Amino acid sequence: MTFDRIAAPLVALLTASFVLSPLASDSFAGFEPTQFPVVAESWPVQPVGWAFSIWGVIYLGLGLSAGLGLLRHRTDPAWAAMRGPLALSLAVGTFWIAVAGVAPVAATAMIVVMAASALAALGRAPAGLAARGAVGLYAGWLTAATGVAVAVVLSGYGLLGAQTAAIVLLGAVLIVALAVFSRQPRAWGYGLGVGWALIGVIAANLPAANLPVIALAGLGIVALGAVAWRGRG
């Protein structure tokens, strides 16, 4: 039996396990300072708690995509191309919340794998809301979340200060995001996923008037908007 024959059902099954995984553990709205040796009041890089509500939209999009793919595009070569890396991302993601609550370093390694495979899936996804739109939103949020996780771990273990880690990793996120989005400017879901995370970062830093982080995140939103505008035709 070849992978192509089982790919659509496998993605549907893994999507279901991924979407339902929060029910098996506590909800996640960011790492807690007490999980690290260097305890900080907060991390400038981490979006405000309500920004994590985007997961509801991501879960819905992935669920609809998996269902449509299974029922109407099971043998479609255009859909088949993205299923391998997407399956890997979802398989790792099924266990991510449970691991994040107890082992931030391991969770950070896992989210790197999730993001890399989601980006690979996006690069192979066919046009359309159900495929490129859903996978793009997922990959966009994961791109930002990977930078957040790495920054938190670096500062949580005293390798960088929280402010320095925020600026360095936000810069890295923007470089990756703009490179990906520039190649696929019609993958609007990707731009929205990254942009929403940046809005969450701005909101988290407004009370402290952390202007460097706010300005960098704001610049990223403007740059993503410019790429989207150029690719609108």
Side-chain angles (χ1 to χ4, degrees):
M1 180 180 293
T2 65
F3 178 75
D4 287 346
R5 295 186 63 182
I6 65 169
L10 178 62
V11 167
L13 178 63
L14 289 172
T15 298
S17 67
F18 180 60
V19 170
L20 295 174
S21 63
L23 300 179
S25 57
D26 295 333
S27 60
F28 182 82
F31 291 114
E32 296 294 333
T34 53
Q35 289 180 272
F36 298 91
V38 179
V39 179
E41 291 185 11
S42 63
W43 293 287
V45 73
Q46 186 158 271
V48 70
W50 51 255
F52 290 83
S53 63
I54 193 176
W55 275 112
V57 182
I58 292 172
Y59 288 148
L60 178 62
L62 290 175
L64 292 175
S65 178
L68 185 64
L70 180 61
L71 296 175
R72 304 183 70 174
H73 299 279
R74 185 167 182 166
T75 59
D76 187 339
W79 280 66
M82 72 175 181
R83 285 180 174 137
L86 181 58
L88 173 60
S89 184
L90 295 170
V92 176
T94 294
F95 303 97
W96 190 84
I97 292 179
V99 174
V102 296
V105 175
T108 299
M110 290 171 67
I111 205 169
V112 170
V113 174
M114 290 169 64
S117 49
L119 287 172
L122 175 62
R124 304 174 185 183
L129 179 63
R132 190 180 296 167
V135 174
L137 186 65
Y138 173 58
W141 178 263
L142 283 180
T143 298
T146 299
V148 171
V150 172
V152 168
V153 167
L154 288 175
S155 58
Y157 281 87
L159 300 176
L160 287 177
Q163 180 77 351
T164 301
I167 293 173
V168 170
L169 269 299
L170 275 178
V173 164
L174 294 182
I175 291 171
V176 172
L178 291 172
V180 171
F181 200 31
S182 294
R183 292 183 180 182
Q184 298 189 73
R186 294 188 180 182
W188 55 267
Y190 182 80
L192 286 176
V194 178
W196 180 256
L198 295 175
I199 289 171
V201 171
I202 291 173
N205 284 275
L206 282 176
N210 189 345
L211 295 182
V213 172
I214 291 171
L216 183 56
L219 178 63
I221 293 171
V222 172
L224 289 169
V227 172
W229 178 259
R230 288 201 306 269
R232 72 191 185 282

